[in-house]
Every structure is written in structure tokens, then in C-alpha cells.
Amino acid sequence: RFGQTYHGNRISYVLVDRWFVSTFGLEPGLLVARHVVLGMAVLAAFSLGARWGGDAAAVVVAGVVALTPWLPRQLLWTHYDGFAATYVLIAVALVMVPRGPRTRPVGELLAGVALAAAINANLAVSVLAAVTVVGWWALRRSEGRRALAVGTARIVAGWAMATVAVALTLRSLFPG
């Protein structure tokens, strides 16, 4: 609906909305999309709270994310910031909630993808992406420099793959 404009290039927001609207219709699609995105943010917050503070902390953190007015307001205003914040929360959960040796590489790659989606939705969240990576480094520093380098490379690879996919998608949507 935005065309080749500043807002139209935020495809990590626009294409998600587009899919929900084409599937459920305009108003129901927007409402379902907002609830799904809010649910993803709440789930990411819950997993962080459960890992680092236990079940009670998980419920409190998830409740704060769901009920504090800022995220739901951004989502219900059909504003891209709510999507960006959710993508960052997902990235944080993917790297800060430890996984086994088999699933950690996938989590790191997907965290890079989520950070790319967040940055595409709102460039200002680049700062949050940097804070996420620094926090992740602090969490894993005891594993040694090689482990940090490999994990960082995976996050960057996920980010790069998603960024290339965004560029190719924009090129196909707006040729010429």
C-alpha cells in the first residue's frame, strides 16, 4: 500500500501484514497479525524470564511485555516499531537462552535473521542489536575467544542472509 517509499521498504513489517490481510481480510488480518506478533514478544520475554529468573520472573516479565501500553499501542496503531521491538526480543531470546550444542548454531543464525528483520523495520534498533551482541558476548565469554568468534560469525551470517533476501525482495517488488 506504500509503494516504493521509506515505509514500503520496511518489508519485514509490510509483508507480514500483507500475508495476514490477504489470508484473513483487512480488519481481521491486521488484528490477527497484531495478536500473533504480541504473542511472539510475550513468548520471547517469558523464555528469557524463565531461564534467568525462574517461573515467577517469567510470568512477571511476560505480563509486563503484554500489558505495558507501549508495545501493544505500537502494534495496534499499525506502526512498524512494535514489529521491530518484537524481532529484537526474539533475537535476544535466541542467543540468551542457552541451547545444546546441536541447536545453538541454528539459534545464532536465526538471531541474526531476527536482528536483520528488526533493523529493516526500524533502523534505530541497530543500537539494540549491538547491545544484544555485547550482552551475548558477556554471557559466553567463559567459553573462550574461538567460541565467541564462531557464534558471532553465525549471527552475522544470519543477518547477512536476511539482508540479502530483503534486498532481493525489494528489487523484485520495485524493479528498475
Side-chain angles (χ1 to χ4, degrees), residues 34-105:
R34 268 71 196 150
H35 281 88
V36 167
V37 172
L38 182 60
M40 292 169 59
V42 168
L43 183 61
F46 183 89
S47 70
L48 285 162
R51 169 59 182 97
W52 297 104
D55 292 341
V59 170
V60 169
V61 170
V64 167
V65 168
L67 301 173
T68 301
W70 299 288
L71 180 60
R73 181 182 67 208
Q74 291 301 322
L75 290 171
L76 291 172
W77 275 358
T78 64
H79 198 266
Y80 46 81
D81 286 349
F83 278 60
T86 298
Y87 292 138
V88 169
L89 268 172
I90 290 168
V92 171
L94 285 167
V95 295
M96 297 291 193
V97 177
R99 289 161 181 29
R102 288 185 175 169
T103 58
R104 180 179 279 173

Side-chain angles (χ1 to χ4, degrees), residues 6-176:
Y6 174 73
H7 297 287
N9 286 328
R10 297 169 187 262
I11 63 170
S12 65
Y13 163 71
V14 173
L15 292 184
V16 172
D17 262 358
R18 185 181 195 182
W19 183 85
F20 278 98
V21 166
S22 69
T23 302
F24 298 103
L26 179 60
E27 290 179 9
L30 291 174
L31 191 60
V32 170
R34 268 71 196 150
H35 281 88
V36 167
V37 172
L38 182 60
M40 292 169 59
V42 168
L43 183 61
F46 183 89
S47 70
L48 285 162
R51 169 59 182 97
W52 297 104
D55 292 341
V59 170
V60 169
V61 170
V64 167
V65 168
L67 301 173
T68 301
W70 299 288
L71 180 60
R73 181 182 67 208
Q74 291 301 322
L75 290 171
L76 291 172
W77 275 358
T78 64
H79 198 266
Y80 46 81
D81 286 349
F83 278 60
T86 298
Y87 292 138
V88 169
L89 268 172
I90 290 168
V92 171
L94 285 167
V95 295
M96 297 291 193
V97 177
R99 289 161 181 29
R102 288 185 175 169
T103 58
R104 180 179 279 173
V106 174
E108 291 164 349
L109 272 171
L110 291 176
V113 170
L115 290 174
I119 291 167
N120 173 258
N122 186 342
L123 187 58
V125 301
S126 299
V127 174
L128 292 175
V131 168
T132 297
V133 171
V134 170
W136 173 80
W137 283 339
L139 178 69
R140 292 196 48 202
R141 73 178 175 268
S142 65
E143 296 176 25
R145 290 184 182 182
R146 185 181 185 293
L148 285 175
V150 169
T152 301
R154 287 186 193 121
I155 292 170
V156 170
W159 173 84
M161 289 186 298
T163 300
V164 168
V166 165
L168 293 173
T169 302
L170 286 171
R171 181 111 172 127
S172 71
L173 291 172
F174 308 115

